[in-house]
Amino acid sequence: MPGRFFLTTPIYYVNDVPHIGHAYTTITADAVARWHRLLGDETYFLTGTDEYGLKIARSAEANGITPQEQADRTSARFKETWQLLDVSYDRFIRTTDPDHAATVQAFLQKVYDNGYIYKSAYAGWYCVACEAYYGEEELLPNPDGGPGLDPIHRRPAEWFEEENWFFKLSAFEQPLLDWYGANPDAVAPGGKRNEALGLIRQGLRDISISRSSLDWGVAIPWDDQQVFYVWYDALINYATAIGYGTDPERFATWWPHVHHLLAKDILRFHCVYWPAMLLAAGEEPPAHLHVHGYLTVGGEKMSKTSLNQIFPADLVEEFGVDGFRYHFLRDSSFGPDGDFSYEAMIARYNADLANNFGNLLSRVATVVDKKCGGIGPAPRADSPLAAVAATALAEATAAWDTIQPAAALEATWKLIREANALLETTEPWKLDPGPEVDGVLGDALEVLRLVSILASPALTRSVTEVWRRIGLSGSPTDQLLPAAASWGGYPGGLPVEKGDPLFPRLKAKS
Ligand code: ME8
């Protein structure tokens, strides 16, 4: 039954241009959104940029431009990258969008009216790169003897003292534990849920949610001397996009059935602070939080200071958009950390795309040309591949449903491998034209049709070309699952086109 599906990526900071880490979360979200569109779900896919705060103000200053210019430039780079990678978002939110300020103010006014915000003095350690406070005990020793280092960026923390507005996070320790108890599947994978529970059980301290020393932020409705702390404005983007404070009916149709995708660096904000803020505003916490690990390069998290960032455009030039998307979806399981390897990317491209998918298409087109006059025959109702196709659909559905693209694509590629195996055992190219040749080729054409649909969340371009070459009209993305995946949908009698290799084999550049 089609339903509604709301999914989000983090909104990315505009101090730096997108690298393959940002692309990983965004492409995963995009593929999942595309899968849900195939199921006929009304899908809303949100991404965007996080533009306020000290980190952005400082990077603008370092670049000799205004924070607004910094935000405009870098936000445009994110949009260009997502366009390059065929990311089909429904909204690209910028925290400087006017409707966002209105929602942040309405939301936090509600929390204030509910009695969870008060004024107090703050003094403590702060990391600007994380835009986060740290207790002394959370900082790592500084080999240079200065202030302790934050555990994520390993930069010296700074001492901050300010009169700020505070959020009574401590009031939500028990409500959060109760909520997690009643919603055991809210955070996936399970290890990340335990991490979130561990943070809550350690005890929650109230936190400052405003800044008096900065004006690059959303104004506080009840205090014109301060702005909101960037994380409090940023998290609320998920509510802005679905009409919190501006369109209550729309908000109620989408919330709380959201799927937030994020990496473990921002688990505390999404799995502790955000649910607590929602409870404080009288709303339900987010229904699903999917937390993945880091994509590392040379064993280290990518960062400007490690000089190990890899940019999507450089890989797209060599592998194409489909080669790029396929590699990250197929080779980086959603959950654990994974090290990027150029050699693995070449190997995966050649094995799965050139040798399996591409080869199936070119073999079928060549033999249909030789033995069937270029007209594709229909599949057999009793084909040995029918059961394999049903299993592929069932396994892919279960895997996409739990945000496991690697498993979904593996299930889909099993079907391609079985079709290639059938061709190898029956060798239709050696047989005289007749029912057996027609049957085998019809079956293989049906597999190409099915795979074009099932792989369309990952391969946005080549599947449309396969669809066209086997003579079908429309597009694989217009199909509706599960009906379109029943065996026998390829009608036969269609012209099949031989063409250039879909995925030319690649050699590693030395
Ligand atoms: O944290 N591996 O923005 P951000 C995997 N603005 N994923 C990575 C990654 C890596 N090496 N590097 C980045 C912020 N990511 C806040 C978010 S949300 C309300 C505010 C991805 O630009 C991953 O999704 O630092 C990670 O959580 C996110 O980018 C952090 O992006």
Side-chain angles (χ1 to χ4, degrees):
M1 270 284 283
R4 282 204 181 84
F5 194 78
F6 175 27
L7 90 164
T8 70
T9 71
I11 48 169
Y12 305 110
Y13 285 130
V14 290
N15 62 311
D16 209 355
V17 297
H19 56 59
I20 55 172
H22 304 109
Y24 175 67
T25 317
T26 310
I27 284 175
T28 302
D30 181 64
V32 172
R34 286 171 182 271
W35 177 261
H36 280 271
R37 291 189 196 113
L38 284 176
L39 295 178
D41 288 344
E42 190 188 342
T43 300
Y44 190 69
F45 168 24
L46 176 69
T47 189
T49 42
D50 188 357
E51 308 191 350
Y52 285 125
L54 189 54
K55 178 179 174 117
I56 306 309
R58 282 197 185 163
S59 81
E61 202 181 321
N63 294 330
I65 53 178
T66 65
Q68 186 66 57
E69 283 167 341
Q70 172 78 28
D72 289 348
R73 276 187 203 177
T74 315
S75 170
R77 297 292 301 276
F78 273 91
K79 274 195 177 163
E80 275 163 27
T81 306
W82 302 156
Q83 196 175 2
L84 172 74
L85 299 177
D86 286 346
V87 174
S88 60
Y89 55 76
D90 293 292
R91 176 165 176 188
F92 185 103
I93 193 168
R94 300 183 57 185
T95 52
T96 50
D97 288 343
D99 65 335
H100 181 61
T103 293
V104 171
Q105 291 177 334
F107 191 104
L108 289 166
Q109 181 73 53
K110 188 77 192 287
V111 177
Y112 181 77
D113 294 345
N114 288 349
Y116 294 114
I117 291 180
Y118 64 96
K119 202 165 198 181
S120 183
Y122 179 78
W125 294 107
Y126 192 77
C127 167
V128 179
C130 306
E131 292 277 22
Y133 298 106
Y134 285 102
E136 180 93 44
E137 72 290 352
E138 292 174 291
L139 297 174
L140 306 174
N142 184 338
D144 302 331
L149 308 180
D150 81 270
I152 295 182
H153 303 86
R154 296 174 192 249
R155 297 198 196 157
E158 297 178 45
W159 185 257
F160 274 31
E161 279 187 38
E162 270 191 302
E163 175 94 338
N164 286 157
W165 292 99
F166 273 67
F167 171 56
K168 269 192 206 165
L169 183 62
S170 58
F172 294 93
E173 229 169 270
Q174 198 51 49
L176 284 175
L177 291 173
D178 293 345
W179 184 77
Y180 274 114
N183 297 277
D185 301 325
V187 179
K192 299 292 193 284
R193 166 193 152 82
N194 293 339
E195 221 172 288
L197 285 173
L199 290 170
I200 301 165
R201 289 196 187 115
Q202 267 169 27
L204 298 177
R205 269 183 300 208
D206 293 352
I207 46 171
S208 159
I209 60 158
S210 71
R211 288 289 178 279
S212 59
S213 51
L214 178 79
D215 59 8
W216 183 238
V218 177
I220 298 189
W222 62 87
D223 179 352
D224 60 9
Q225 300 301 304
Q226 305 215 11
V227 296
F228 283 117
Y229 160 43
V230 58
W231 264 104
Y232 278 75
D233 118 50
L235 288 162
I236 294 172
N237 91 84
Y238 303 132
T240 304
I242 50 165
Y244 183 94
T246 53
D247 186 347
E249 226 174 278
R250 181 155 177 256
F251 182 75
T253 54
W254 290 102
W255 197 262
H257 314 289
V258 66
H259 292 258
H260 289 314
L261 268 58
L262 53 132
K264 63 184 184 182
D265 50 347
I266 51 179
L267 179 146
R268 177 197 299 258
F269 295 96
H270 284 79
C271 302
V272 182
Y273 295 179
W274 177 225
M277 283 164 68
L278 284 155
L279 289 172
E283 302 294 341
E284 276 287 302
H288 307 282
L289 294 137
H290 304 274
V291 186
H292 64 78
Y294 292 148
L295 198 56
T296 56
V297 174
E300 298 234 2
K301 184 170 189 273
M302 264 170 291
S303 73
K304 240 183 186 173
T305 39
S306 311
L307 294 176
N308 63 351
Q309 289 174 314
I310 298 178
F311 300 103
D314 297 333
L315 292 173
V316 167
E317 204 177 295
E318 189 171 351
F319 293 89
V321 171
D322 282 359
F324 181 94
R325 292 175 59 106
Y326 186 78
H327 167 71
F328 287 104
L329 292 168
R330 176 64 187 86
D331 278 334
S332 304
S333 280
F334 193 92
D337 290 353
D339 204 38
F340 172 76
S341 151
Y342 172 75
E343 290 70 27
M345 190 168 180
I346 294 264
R348 177 63 71 185
Y349 173 98
N350 283 335
D352 285 17
L353 299 180
N355 295 354
N356 264 303
F357 193 25
N359 198 24
L360 179 63
L361 175 70
S362 69
R363 272 170 157 178
V364 169
T366 306
V367 187
V368 166
D369 182 52
K370 283 215 181 98
K371 307 278 174 179
C372 315
I375 302 298
R380 297 172 289 192
D382 60 350
S383 166
L385 293 178
V388 182
T391 307
L393 173 68
E395 288 181 3
T397 303
W400 285 115
D401 207 39
T402 48
I403 322 255
Q404 291 298 332
L409 294 171
E410 170 54 23
T412 306
W413 257 253
K414 260 191 236 161
L415 177 57
I416 302 180
R417 287 196 295 267
E418 288 298 320
N420 272 320
L422 180 70
L423 290 175
E424 271 145 35
T425 49
T426 51
E427 300 186 307
W429 45 87
K430 290 190 181 161
L431 303 176
D432 291 331
E436 172 147 30
V437 170
D438 286 355
V440 172
L441 291 173
D443 291 354
L445 283 159
E446 171 64 349
V447 166
L448 285 167
R449 184 190 73 86
L450 290 169
V451 167
S452 299
I453 302 170
L454 298 181
S456 67
L459 308 177
T460 52
R461 301 187 176 194
S462 45
V463 292
T464 313
E465 177 62 6
V466 173
W467 196 260
R468 195 190 62 74
R469 285 198 200 174
I470 64 174
L472 293 166
S473 55
S475 146
T477 55
D478 296 338
Q479 311 304 307
L480 203 56
L481 291 178
S486 341
W487 182 261
Y490 185 74
L494 302 176
V496 172
E497 185 183 312
K498 283 206 302 176
D500 293 338
L502 207 53
F503 301 103
R505 277 184 69 82
L506 292 176
K507 278 210 184 85
K509 286 185 187 157
S510 47

